[in-house]
Every structure is written in C-alpha cells, then in structure tokens.
C-alpha cells in the first residue's frame, strides 16, 4: 500500500544553523540552498531529494551520548566506502568521535552542535 505523503525535508534544531549547515555541506558535498542566521538549508545538487534544514533554537542543548535516558531526538546515518577515512574527514570538519561505540560496522560521531550521527560501511 503506497503512503499518502512524501518526505519534504528534514529539519534539525541547533544553536548555529550556518555553522552546522557548513559542516554537513562539506561532509556530504551538498550546497547551501538558503542561508541566514535563523535558518539554513542544504540541497543535494546531484540527486535532488529531501533537503536538510537547520533552525536556530535559543538555548539549544544536544542530547547526551550515550543516552541512558532514551531522550535522543534523532540521528542521521550516512553510508561511506571507508569508515576510518570518513571519521578522519568528519573530525577535520569539527566532528568528535565519542568513546562509546556500540557497533562494529559503523562509527558514532557527534557533529559540531553535539548531535550524534553514524558513518556506516556501505
């Protein structure tokens, strides 16, 4: 049974939308489609699809990782050809590799705003 809706966009709350969009833009090779201090959006120029938006929320606090209370709001997974190479590049861009790593075929990272994301072996 087909769904009645299509994913239009993913929006991520953060303290600095421009900084976070620049991080993910460099990580993914996506372009800034809109940029202002309150809201910034990335688009995939090669494949289209749903863009990623970043909205400023005053006083934003990222979820804890690991998250013992289960309050993590979301996380993004990205396929990569070489996980360790992708980890190194993400760290160059400002991500942090936390000590707690629950898997073997992926690595959990924290973006510059503290949101967890995973780099997964393709």
């Amino acid at each position: 049974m087909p769904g009645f809706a299509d994913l239009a966009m993913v929006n991520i709350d953060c303290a600095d939308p421009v900084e976070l969009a620049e991080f993910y833009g460099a990580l993914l090779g996506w372009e800034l489609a809109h940029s202002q201090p309150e809201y910034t959006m990335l688009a995939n120029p090669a494949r289209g699809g749903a863009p990623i938006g970043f909205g400023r929320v005053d006083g934003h606090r990222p979820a804890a990782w690991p998250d013992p209370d289960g309050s993590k709001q979301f996380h993004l997974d990205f396929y990569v050809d070489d996980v360790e190479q992708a980890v190194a590049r993400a760290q160059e861009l400002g991500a942090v590799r936390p000590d707690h790593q629950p898997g073997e075929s992926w690595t959990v990272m924290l973006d510059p705003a503290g949101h967890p994301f995973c780099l997964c072996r393709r």
Side-chain angles (χ1 to χ4, degrees), residues 9-93:
M9 173 174 234
V10 173
N11 286 285
I12 299 173
D13 294 341
C14 59
D16 187 340
V18 174
E19 176 187 50
L20 203 54
E22 288 174 351
F23 169 79
Y24 281 107
L27 186 75
L28 297 168
W30 289 20
E31 298 174 351
L32 286 174
H34 175 82
S35 183
Q36 63 187 68
E38 302 81 27
Y39 187 81
T40 303
M41 183 172 40
L42 291 175
N44 182 343
R47 296 189 175 171
I52 303 174
F54 303 89
R56 184 174 67 208
V57 173
D58 293 331
H60 179 266
R61 291 178 299 147
W65 179 260
D67 188 5
D69 298 323
S71 62
K72 179 177 65 168
Q73 295 123 8
F74 74 94
H75 76 272
L76 301 171
D77 289 347
F78 301 106
Y79 282 131
V80 297
D81 293 325
D82 182 317
V83 173
E84 286 308 312
Q85 183 179 18
V87 165
R89 179 66 179 134
Q91 288 174 318
E92 289 172 8
L93 295 170

